[in-house]
Every structure is written in C-alpha cells, then in structure tokens.
Amino acid sequence: MSSPIPAQVRGAPGLAWFNTASVAAAEAALLECCGSRRWAHRVAEHRPYPDLEALLAAADEAGYDLSQADLAEALADEASADLHHGAPPAAHLALRAAHAAYEATFGYAFVICLDGIPAAEHPAQVLAGIRARLGHEKDEERSVAADELRRLARGRLRATLGADLTFCGPDTPAR
C-alpha cells in the first residue's frame, strides 16, 4: 500500500524534483542507482517523465541498450552484498568465500535484487544465487548480471524518488 504522505514531505526528492533538477543533479542521482554514465545521461536527457512508471520504463530501456563497456562500468561500481552484522560468523565466512569465488570467476561483484524477499531469507538467497550462477559461462552470467542490475536500478530509483518499494521486477506493479 502506498504511503499517503507525498515523497517530498518524507524527505525523498520525488519525481517533480527529478524532472526539474539540473542535468548534473539528475545524473548524480541516477548514478547512485546504476553506475553507468551513459545510462544516467540517457535517462536524464529524456525528462520530464509524466509518472514513475514512465521513468522506470525509460530506465529499463536504457539498461537494455548498454554496451559491454557500459555494463562493465556499471558492474565495477557495484559492491557485493554483506550480511547484517548480527548474522552468525559461519554465515559471514561462507558468504565471503562465495563472493570471492564469484569475483575470481567473473571479475565483478555478484549482483542480485532481493527486493520483496524477507531479510531473514537474504543470506540463503545470495548463497544459492552465487552457487547457481557460478556454473554459468561468462556471456550467460553477464546477461544474468545485467538483468539483476536493471532490477536493482528500478528499486533504487523508486527508493531515491520516495516511491514505495516492494519488488524490483519490471512486470511487478507499484505498491
């Protein structure tokens, strides 16, 4: 359910701010969502957006059009997810080892969108995801990582602009 309080009141800048911000400010906000400068420039240059769904659609389209170099730039900006500090030491150790194996194999941080998954399930989802994806060929994994990056960017955009965040999939309606 959406909050009845406008995003601007809750402290998030909102779509109105995004549509009227300077190009530099809009691109800076976008770069917090996805580390590709080309992606950020493309999404910013098509403003104004009539609504959040139009912005998310444009972000998806720009994500699908990333070159290999743009994708590499975006993936280089990502950091591997860590566990909550209260997680058991064995879980931290297992996750560090899995991340190290993934990064050694593919050359970039493991990215996965966990929006909509309960926090208690995150460690298991991340470990299962890494283990499954370590079996991919490099090109196949780059494609999966690009999909996850697009999903992450959607969720980050929603959060940046103050929209309620439930799922990061392109086919999931806003809450």
Side-chain angles (χ1 to χ4, degrees), residues 129-145:
I130 291 174
R131 288 182 182 134
R133 289 167 53 186
L134 275 170
H136 291 168
E137 295 294 325
K138 288 191 184 237
D139 288 343
E140 178 185 15
E141 180 53 27
R142 184 173 283 279
S143 176
V144 171

Side-chain angles (χ1 to χ4, degrees), residues 78-83 95 98-100 102-103 108-111 126 130:
E78 294 293 321
S80 297
D82 207 0
L83 297 177
L95 188 60
H99 279 301
Y102 181 91
E103 290 175 21
Y108 48 84
F110 177 76
V111 291
V126 171
I130 291 174

Side-chain angles (χ1 to χ4, degrees), residues 80-96:
S80 297
D82 207 0
L83 297 177
H84 184 272
H85 68 277
H92 284 281
L93 182 61
L95 188 60
R96 277 195 302 276

Side-chain angles (χ1 to χ4, degrees), residues 1-174:
M1 170 190 319
S2 293
S3 171
I5 302 170
Q8 292 83 352
V9 174
R10 291 194 316 264
L15 185 61
W17 169 84
F18 180 76
N19 279 334
T20 60
S22 69
V23 172
E27 286 182 6
L30 290 163
L31 284 169
E32 293 297 318
C33 301
C34 176
S36 165
R37 290 179 307 230
R38 182 172 175 257
W39 177 87
H41 178 74
R42 183 169 170 193
V43 174
E45 81 177 356
H46 286 95
R47 295 174 303 151
Y49 293 97
D51 54 37
L52 180 62
E53 291 308 313
L55 169 59
L56 295 175
D60 283 345
E61 183 179 330
Y64 285 116
D65 290 342
L66 291 179
S67 69
Q68 292 295 330
D70 297 327
L71 180 57
E73 176 186 36
L75 289 169
D77 194 53
E78 294 293 321
S80 297
D82 207 0
L83 297 177
H84 184 272
H85 68 277
H92 284 281
L93 182 61
L95 188 60
R96 277 195 302 276
H99 279 301
Y102 181 91
E103 290 175 21
T105 301
F106 297 110
Y108 48 84
F110 177 76
V111 291
I112 187 170
C113 182
L114 297 171
D115 295 345
I117 297 174
E121 295 177 25
H122 286 186
Q125 290 289 323
V126 171
L127 283 171
I130 291 174
R131 288 182 182 134
R133 289 167 53 186
L134 275 170
H136 291 168
E137 295 294 325
K138 288 191 184 237
D139 288 343
E140 178 185 15
E141 180 53 27
R142 184 173 283 279
S143 176
V144 171
D147 285 341
E148 290 296 322
L149 190 63
R150 278 188 294 279
R151 295 176 67 216
L152 285 167
R154 286 178 65 86
R156 291 169 180 166
L157 266 171
R158 294 176 67 77
T160 296
L161 297 181
D164 286 339
L165 177 62
T166 304
F167 296 100
C168 47
D171 299 325
T172 305

